[in-house]
Amino acid sequence: MAMDKERPPLPNLHIRTPTHVFPSGRITLALMMLTTGLFLVLSTLHPATFYQYPMPTDISPQETKIGSEDKVCNLFNGTWVRDFRGPIYTNFTCPTMPDSKNCGKYGKQMDYVNWKWVPHGCDMVRFEPQLFLNIVRGKTMGFAADSIGRNQMESLLCLLSQVETPTKVHSDLKDKFVTWHFKSHNFTLMALWTKFLVEASEREINGTEVEMHDIHLDKLDVRLAANLREINVLVISSSQWFFRKNYLYEGGKLIGCIYCSEDNITSIDVTTAIQRALRTALRNLTNCQECGLQLTLVTTITPAHFENGFWNTGGYCNRTEPVEKGEAMTRTVEWAIRNAQVEEANRAQNERSHKGQMNLEILDITEAMSMRSDAHPGIHWNNKWMRGYSDCIHWCLPGPVDMWNELLLSVLNKYGKELQNHQ
């Protein structure tokens, strides 16, 4: 059964106390909940007065050609099927697995690993670490993303470590910008932390950060831009941090705000803000003359799966099997964001095709992951600041997040010769 159309902003599960999200305390939280309830009631009575997000039926999964030239395989439209061969790695064989994703260690039943993604018209997808490393030998790959994208990179590290254990060669003080090196294959893997892909600063009230941001939708994140010169393959994603009160700027001027009702400030919806930020990122990547970028991949939004409450009101995610496509618990706002991300990636692809520049592909994982409400850490994660709260946003390792890298390998294989011929 589908979830509600709208909800309050999704949580940041890296915060230390619940009051950081609601800096004014319980009164603010109560007002937000009352406002949400009023919105749902009014939208039922007067639906024409509210913006309607596209329904899931608007989804048109991307297609990509793999295998022989006459075979078109739709990687992103398929079914989860039982597969008891088990994952490629475990928490014992992956030395880099973070505790927060090590769900089995903290008591979660591991049946969620016994499902594999089978794209329509394709064979079952399975990751081949040696093939991956052969394709990217001598290259540098970066993940420019928030913690969801970091989740994908952590999965890739575990998968590749079955062939060669990587060495961490760089990390900043907060472990946000991290570089790993696979010496035998001369392959470098970088994590580039960015909440929005574009430039942003966190607001403070009386010297305390309140997790509201000033976001410049027309300026690429400076730290991301500073690292582009050495990256050959880039995977980008961003969505979750937009789901809070944020102030938006273009040309240095305030143009609106997300989740605000302030006088003389235009209210802008989350989907529009994400789309504009992605447009800026892709235009900068496509037009970067000094970059060594050969291929950029846009990973679409993955749904959160809180049931019977929100993250701070007892919401949980304790299902034990994938749900059917028609029962996928995804808010229509998330489908709208996915559609906007695909639209921007397609726009950039069309612009690039006339310039002969960087290749661009989409990892359209939204539909597949909407069915995997069984594979979040839930309460089975190690975070001393958030005890008692469920993580229904990130994904267990091993788990269906590994499928993102199986699809990534399929796309890389498509460009294998081109990547190697361009040194």
Side-chain angles (χ1 to χ4, degrees), residues 26-188:
R26 296 180 179 177
I27 295 175
T28 301
L29 176 58
L31 288 173
M32 289 178 66
M33 295 179 68
L34 178 61
T35 302
T36 302
L38 181 61
F39 176 92
L40 293 174
V41 171
L42 290 176
S43 62
T44 302
L45 295 175
H46 303 287
T49 64
F50 290 85
Y51 179 78
Q52 297 295 311
Y53 289 109
M55 295 300 290
T57 51
D58 290 343
I59 291 287
S60 178
Q62 296 295 296
E63 289 187 354
T64 187
K65 186 177 291 186
I66 63 173
S68 60
E69 288 298 319
D70 60 347
K71 179 179 180 181
V72 176
C73 172
N74 193 340
L75 289 174
F76 312 117
N77 187 14
T79 307
W80 292 98
V81 299
R82 281 285 192 178
D83 178 20
F84 290 99
R85 289 178 294 175
I88 293 175
Y89 65 91
T90 68
N91 53 1
F92 294 105
T93 65
C94 176
T96 61
M97 184 182 294
D99 255 13
S100 60
K101 315 301 189 314
N102 192 350
C103 306
K105 178 180 178 180
Y106 296 99
K108 187 175 177 74
Q109 296 300 308
M110 297 289 289
D111 189 57
Y112 59 88
V113 303
N114 297 320
W115 296 86
K116 292 292 292 182
W117 177 250
V118 181
H120 293 164
C122 311
D123 297 326
M124 182 180 290
V125 178
R126 193 164 178 85
F127 193 84
E128 300 177 56
Q130 187 61 65
L131 175 60
F132 190 101
L133 287 169
N134 288 344
I135 294 173
V136 297
R137 188 182 296 270
K139 300 295 182 180
T140 295
M141 175 180 288
F143 282 80
D146 55 18
S147 59
I148 304 296
R150 181 67 174 263
N151 204 168
Q152 182 181 0
M153 194 207 74
E154 291 162 347
S155 160
L156 183 59
L157 278 171
C158 285
L159 290 164
L160 297 180
S161 67
Q162 306 312 293
V163 170
E164 179 183 353
T165 301
T167 301
K168 183 185 284 189
V169 294
H170 170 76
S171 176
D172 64 355
L173 293 177
K174 295 184 178 181
D175 205 41
K176 298 290 190 182
F177 287 75
V178 186
T179 302
W180 299 84
H181 188 64
F182 294 78
K183 184 177 180 180
S184 297
H185 297 83
N186 190 24
F187 171 57
T188 301

Side-chain angles (χ1 to χ4, degrees), residues 46 91 114 170 191 211 218 220 227 229 242 305 316 386 389:
H46 303 287
N91 53 1
N114 297 320
H170 170 76
E211 301 216 353
D218 55 348
L220 187 67
N227 285 276
R229 187 184 299 268
F242 284 90
H305 288 117
Y316 56 80
M386 297 292 290
Y389 296 96

